[in-house]
Amino acid sequence: MILEKLTLINYKNIAEASLELSAKMNCFIGHNGAGKTNVLDAVYFLSFCHSAFNPIDSQVIRHNQEFFMIEGLYEGPLHITCGMKRGQKKHFKRNKKEYRRLSEHIGLIPIVMISPVDTYLIEGGSEERRRLMDVVIAQKDHNYMDALNRYNKALQQRNAMLKQDEEPDPDVISIWEEQMAVSGEKIFRQRADFTEALTPLFQRYYERISGGHEQVSLNYKSHCQRGPLLEVIQQDRWKDRAIGYSLHGIHRDDLEIMLDGHLMKREGSQGQQKTFVIALKLAQFELLKQSAATSNKPILLLDDIFDKLDASRVEQIVSLVSDDEFGQIFITDTNREHLDRILSASSHDYKIFNVNDGNIV
C-alpha cells in the first residue's frame, strides 16, 4: 500500500500540512517535540481509526482549535478521510462513504509502527503484549475482532454480576461464561497460531540485528492450556465472586519475552530491549506481508529507532530497511547522519522533510 498524499489540519501541533510523499522512503528530521512523530501518528490513524498514543480522539485536536482533519490519498486510488469537531463523534470515510462500523476498516491499509514507547511490551503489563497480538491478527482477520468484542462484552457482564450485592443468578451467569468460553477458545487458537508463526521470523531478525550474540524466544501463556475454558472459568467462580472480577480467561493471556532463557525485562540492557522490540515488529511486518497481496505491502513507520543502539546494530537495521522486501517507509530522527546512511545504502526514491514547531518543509 502506498500513501501518495497526506493532508493534516489541526492535528496535535500541526496547524496545516499537505505532503506529496515518496513511494519508498519519507524522512522527517527535527528536534524532539517538533512534530515529527505526529506525522507518523496521523498515518497510523488512517489505518487504525485512532492515534497510536492517545485513545481519546478529542485530545489530538490542536490546542485552542475546534476540529481536526486527516486526509490520505493512496494508490488505487483510495481516498480516506477522518474529521472530528469537539463534542461530536468522529467521521471516518472511505472514498467519501462513511463507515457504519470502524472495525470494517481495520486491515484495509496494513501498517506496522516501531516507536520508543514499544519498550512497554517488555516492561509493561500483559495487556500490552495481548494488544500486540490483537493488532496484527485483527489486520489479517475481521472475524477475530468480532470474537474479541463478544468475549469482552461477556466478560463485562459476568464481572458486573460478580460485583452485585445479591447472589448472581447461576443460569444467567452461566450464559455469559459460555459466551466467554466459545469466543475465548477461538481467540486462543489464533493467538497460539500467531505466536508459532511469528517466533521463527522474530528470531531471524533478532539474530541479524544483534549479530547472533543472544538467544531469544517467545512463550505464549493462556488459561486455555489448562483444559476446556468453560471448566477453567467456572471451577473458581466462588473465588471470583469474593474479589468481584474474573480471574480466569483469555483476558489474562501473556506473551513471555525471553533472553537466553530468562525474562527480558529482568536481564536485557536498553540496547537489547530495543533490538528485541525492533525485531518483533519487523517479524509482524513479515507476517502481514505474507497474508497480503505482493502489491499491498504494509506501510512501515520507524519513529526514532536508533537511540540507545550501538553502531553495529544501527548498521544492520540500515541494511534491513533499505532492502526491496520493504515497501513505503516513514522514518523520523533528530540525527541527519543516520538518515543519510540509510539513503546512501538505498537506490530507491526518497523525500526529506524538515519539521520545526509543527511546520513541515
Side-chain angles (χ1 to χ4, degrees):
M1 185 64 73
I2 303 297
L3 177 57
E4 298 174 339
K5 184 177 180 179
L6 176 67
T7 301
L8 306 175
I9 299 176
N10 296 332
Y11 192 79
K12 297 189 174 181
N13 76 328
I14 302 170
E16 188 172 355
S18 184
L19 310 178
E20 301 283 347
L21 300 165
S22 164
K24 180 59 181 179
M25 191 85 68
N26 296 278
C27 306
F28 296 85
I29 304 170
H31 298 298
N32 291 328
K36 308 182 303 296
T37 298
N38 295 341
V39 178
L40 271 60
D41 190 43
V43 177
Y44 183 97
F45 203 120
L46 289 173
S47 285
F48 282 106
C49 310
H50 62 78
S51 164
F53 306 106
N54 193 332
I56 303 174
D57 294 323
S58 62
Q59 292 184 3
V60 306
I61 300 175
R62 188 166 172 254
H63 293 317
N64 302 318
Q65 300 299 316
E66 292 303 313
F67 75 98
F68 82 88
M69 192 276 290
I70 314 173
E71 180 179 30
L73 182 61
Y74 298 81
E75 66 178 0
L78 173 65
H79 185 211
I80 303 295
T81 58
C82 181
M84 179 180 176
K85 293 181 180 179
R86 290 193 187 275
Q88 300 182 21
K89 73 169 188 175
K90 65 186 170 189
H91 296 275
F92 211 95
K93 298 180 180 180
R94 173 183 176 182
N95 295 333
K96 299 184 179 180
K97 183 178 180 180
E98 187 159 1
Y99 282 100
R100 289 185 301 171
R101 295 192 308 162
L102 294 179
S103 60
E104 297 172 1
H105 180 71
I106 307 303
L108 178 67
I109 307 168
I111 202 165
V112 172
M113 185 173 190
I114 308 176
S115 78
V117 301
D118 289 328
T119 54
Y120 286 121
L121 291 171
I122 298 170
E123 300 167 352
S126 59
E127 67 274 9
E128 301 291 342
R129 293 178 287 277
R130 288 194 297 275
R131 188 177 299 116
L132 174 142
M133 293 188 282
D134 296 341
V135 162
V136 180
I137 300 170
Q139 291 186 81
K140 298 170 61 177
D141 185 355
H142 282 163
N143 293 328
Y144 182 81
M145 282 301 297
D146 292 338
L148 197 58
N149 289 335
R150 286 195 299 271
Y151 179 89
N152 287 332
K153 179 182 177 181
L155 173 64
Q156 290 170 2
Q157 294 293 332
R158 183 178 192 265
N159 284 347
M161 295 188 71
L162 292 171
K163 289 183 175 74
Q164 65 189 26
D165 292 334
E166 64 273 16
E167 195 63 29
D169 185 320
D171 293 331
V172 176
I173 201 170
S174 291
I175 292 173
W176 295 120
E177 289 168 343
E178 288 167 8
Q179 180 64 72
M180 286 175 63
V182 170
S183 300
E185 289 186 346
K186 291 178 182 177
I187 294 164
F188 164 72
R189 287 191 292 271
Q190 289 193 265
R191 286 177 177 174
D193 290 344
F194 164 80
T195 307
E196 184 178 1
L198 183 75
T199 299
L201 299 173
F202 156 68
Q203 290 173 325
R204 189 183 73 201
Y205 277 116
Y206 190 95
E207 181 178 12
R208 177 167 174 181
I209 296 171
S210 69
H213 297 304
E214 306 109 21
Q215 297 295 316
V216 292
S217 60
L218 302 172
N219 185 22
Y220 175 43
K221 306 288 285 186
S222 176
H223 290 147
C224 287
Q225 293 159 338
R226 300 180 182 179
L229 185 55
L230 183 59
E231 294 179 11
V232 174
I233 292 171
Q234 290 183 335
Q235 67 185 4
D236 285 331
R237 187 193 288 173
W238 64 275
K239 290 183 182 178
D240 295 353
R241 171 71 172 147
I243 62 172
Y245 59 86
S246 302
L247 285 169
H248 298 92
I250 57 94
H251 62 286
R252 306 298 292 268
D253 285 2
D254 201 356
L255 192 64
E256 290 184 339
I257 294 175
M258 313 298 289
L259 173 71
D260 291 331
H262 304 281
L263 288 173
M264 170 71 80
K265 64 181 177 181
R266 296 177 185 168
E267 302 290 332
S269 67
Q270 287 184 317
Q272 288 171 324
Q273 290 188 10
K274 192 150 193 178
T275 301
F276 195 104
V277 167
I278 292 171
L280 196 60
K281 291 299 191 80
L282 292 179
Q284 289 181 43
F285 179 95
E286 189 76 20
L287 274 186
L288 286 172
K289 187 179 70 173
Q290 291 174 2
S291 70
T294 305
S295 60
N296 200 29
K297 291 178 181 176
I299 295 172
L300 183 61
L301 308 178
L302 305 175
D303 184 29
D304 190 26
I305 65 169
F306 297 113
D307 186 41
K308 297 182 176 65
L309 293 177
D310 58 46
S312 65
R313 296 187 188 220
V314 170
E315 198 68 41
Q316 290 300 324
I317 295 169
V318 167
S319 174
L320 276 170
V321 301
S322 302
D323 195 279
D324 289 337
E325 293 299 311
F326 292 92
Q328 190 177 32
I329 298 173
F330 291 75
I331 185 167
T332 71
D333 208 306
T334 57
N335 187 338
R336 175 66 185 262
E337 179 184 345
H338 290 149
L339 299 180
D340 284 340
R341 289 168 66 186
I342 292 175
L343 298 175
S344 66
S346 172
S347 60
H348 296 288
D349 176 61
Y350 66 86
K351 285 191 175 182
I352 298 177
F353 301 87
N354 290 294
V355 185
N356 182 28
D357 195 22
N359 297 306
I360 307 169
V361 180

